[in-house]
Amino acid sequence: MFEPVIAPSGTLLGLLQRGRGDGTLHALTAPRHEALAALNHCVLSDPRHDWQVENRSLYYARLYLDLHGELGEIEAHLFDPDDLVDTDECRTGLALSVLGHLASYGRQDALELLRRYAALGGNWAWALDELALRDDDAGLRALAEPILARFPAHAEADLVAAVRDAFEPRPWRLWAEDPRPQVGARVRAAQEAGSFDRWQRQMRPSGPRPGWSVQAVFDWAQEGFERGAALYVPAARCLSAVAGPADRAEILRAARDGSDGARCTALRYLTDTHDPDVLDLVEAAVESPSRVVVDAAVDCFERMRSIAAVQRARRWAPRPDVLGAAAGRMLACRGGAQDQELVLHALREAVRGDGPDAPTLWPLVDGAGRLGIACAAPVLRHVYRETASSHLRGHAARALAATDPSFAAGFAVECLWDCEESTREVAARHAETGDARVVDQLRRLAADPAEEAEVQTAVRSRIGPDATAL
């Protein structure tokens, strides 16, 4: 899948792609055809960098409801000829999730479209999962024959895999009860075969065996690297089972001069056992020409929880390399008030050098909030506005709630419409209720059955003897 092209944050399309609350507020005041065009663009061209951690479907579904949006564009996208050749779930997954939410709000056209796509579309398994949560038994039973027709008699193994790996098992359980032999008996046989497959995999474990030597574990880790599998983490656990005090010298040698697999394994083992020499070995490892070793060394350092590691981080934080960046992240997570300047410097350098979507920003943003670094508020506001990641924006909102006195009357208001439930929860706890829009949205969130329980709990926390907002 290609990286999405994100429009500038000051445009309606850019706001909707980011899932910002201001996107909804601007869409509701824009000409309806412009708002629907931008909304359809987002739903049909998924703007998320990582759909596994970023939410958009409920956000877009609510906007379809508010705009009384038709589903013709979604239907044309789902049944486009590309659906027959492009098997990437990302092409249709967001659209199907939006339809699922619309169906839960009572949109019958969305439910019918999901049923038709489950019967005919390429990404039928996703559509079936959406229906499993929202359709009635009769609707699901009607899909049994179209779904099973996808698996001819010679492709029973594919049917077994589909039943075994189904995210939502409800349809398959219903179909297993069907009295027709071409439906019920076939699904039951696939269920039994899937259970047998799991049992067979459990009975054929691979990897280290009792009695292995330290060198055998190193060799196994290196074999993994040579075939493209990073096995140093499980290899380090195996090393814990086979290594004794007499093996420490051999493990230290491997951490200094071993092959990539052995070196990464030894560093991880020494980290997990709190070896007193591991910090010096990490410092040496980041000079390695092997990127694999450098990444493993940085990962090992960031796993450490000792006072010595934090002290070393204070010494390493000014370094202009990956170890200096890791030191900044460690201080953000585990440093104290005396580390505010170092964390602020690391945050500014990360934004300046890598932009508002840099992976290193997550712990730094959290650290700015945890340490209450008021001077970080301008940088945090920049990250909030510009990042394409709604997940990171939520972290920035939480940090701003702890550092920016203007947050309650500013960004917290728009956060009530944000695509991320954790961000809406922060807003529900902090947004000032002098704005009539805040009161109305709090009431809507409290009454919406699709809203997350944590958000509704935060809304209810605003109701008390002195809270008259609701």
Side-chain angles (χ1 to χ4, degrees), residues 348-372:
R348 287 172 172 165
E349 286 300 307
V351 173
R352 184 181 297 118
D354 299 314
D357 292 307
T360 193
L361 282 175
W362 268 260
L364 294 174
V365 166
D366 288 344
R370 183 181 71 85
L371 296 173

Side-chain angles (χ1 to χ4, degrees), residues 31-43:
R32 181 173 177 272
H33 70 279
E34 292 181 13
L36 282 174
L39 176 58
N40 283 323
H41 183 281
C42 294
V43 173

Side-chain angles (χ1 to χ4, degrees), residues 55-353:
N55 297 308
R56 291 292 188 282
S57 54
L58 180 59
Y59 172 84
Y60 293 142
R62 284 171 168 168
L63 191 50
Y64 269 112
L65 292 176
D66 291 339
L67 295 173
H68 304 286
E70 302 84 5
L71 304 181
E73 293 283 342
I74 294 180
E75 181 178 9
H77 176 71
L78 292 178
F79 292 100
D80 188 275
D82 284 348
D83 192 60
L84 301 175
V85 293
D86 188 350
T87 59
D88 191 337
E89 290 184 335
C90 295
R91 196 189 81 84
T92 55
L94 178 57
L96 294 171
S97 296
V98 169
L99 290 177
H101 283 299
L102 288 173
S104 70
Y105 281 118
R107 286 280 297 259
Q108 189 66 25
D109 54 345
L111 183 63
E112 294 294 340
L113 187 51
L114 274 175
R115 288 171 176 170
R116 187 153 64 92
Y117 186 81
L120 303 172
N123 192 10
W124 62 271
W126 193 311
L128 186 61
D129 285 339
E130 295 292 337
L131 290 168
L133 296 173
R134 298 171 174 95
D135 207 352
D136 56 28
D137 288 356
L140 291 174
R141 288 193 176 102
L143 289 170
E145 288 188 309
I147 296 296
L148 291 175
R150 295 175 178 275
F151 303 96
H154 64 272
E156 288 302 302
D158 293 337
L159 176 59
V160 170
V163 175
R164 183 189 64 223
D165 300 335
F167 190 73
E168 294 290 343
R170 180 178 163 229
W172 300 101
R173 290 173 180 166
L174 282 174
W175 300 340
E177 300 168 357
D178 195 298
R180 292 171 293 179
Q182 72 272 24
V183 176
R186 198 175 177 203
V187 172
R188 289 193 297 273
Q191 289 174 329
E192 292 171 3
S195 298
F196 183 70
D197 284 349
R198 290 192 187 94
W199 177 80
Q200 283 188 314
R201 286 199 300 269
Q202 292 169 356
M203 296 299 290
R204 292 195 301 265
S206 59
R209 300 287 193 275
W212 273 29
S213 65
V214 167
Q215 187 58 49
V217 174
F218 287 150
D219 292 342
W220 179 65
Q222 182 59 27
E223 289 171 7
F225 273 109
E226 290 172 357
R227 65 174 187 269
L231 299 177
Y232 73 91
V233 174
R237 290 197 295 266
C238 295
L239 203 57
S240 299
V242 303
D247 298 306
R248 181 173 180 268
E250 180 182 357
I251 297 172
L252 291 174
R253 281 195 300 273
R256 282 191 296 267
D257 306 310
S259 63
D260 285 0
R263 196 170 187 184
C264 294
T265 301
L267 286 171
R268 182 62 173 251
Y269 169 81
L270 294 170
T271 298
D272 292 345
T273 56
H274 311 290
D275 191 279
D277 291 335
V278 69
L279 286 165
D280 293 331
L281 291 168
V282 164
E283 188 171 18
V286 297
E287 304 298 332
S288 168
S290 169
R291 186 67 191 183
V292 170
V293 172
V294 173
D295 289 345
V298 170
D299 179 64
C300 287
F301 173 62
E302 292 193 69
R303 285 177 55 81
M304 297 179 191
R305 302 291 188 271
S306 65
I307 295 175
V310 174
Q311 291 172 341
R312 191 70 67 98
R314 291 176 181 135
R315 198 172 84 193
W316 287 344
R319 292 175 56 135
D321 60 3
V322 293
L323 192 55
R329 293 192 295 270
M330 173 170 282
L331 293 176
C333 296
R334 285 177 278 282
Q338 69 269 37
D339 302 309
Q340 288 188 358
E341 285 298 324
L342 291 173
V343 173
L344 178 59
H345 174 75
L347 176 63
R348 287 172 172 165
E349 286 300 307
V351 173
R352 184 181 297 118

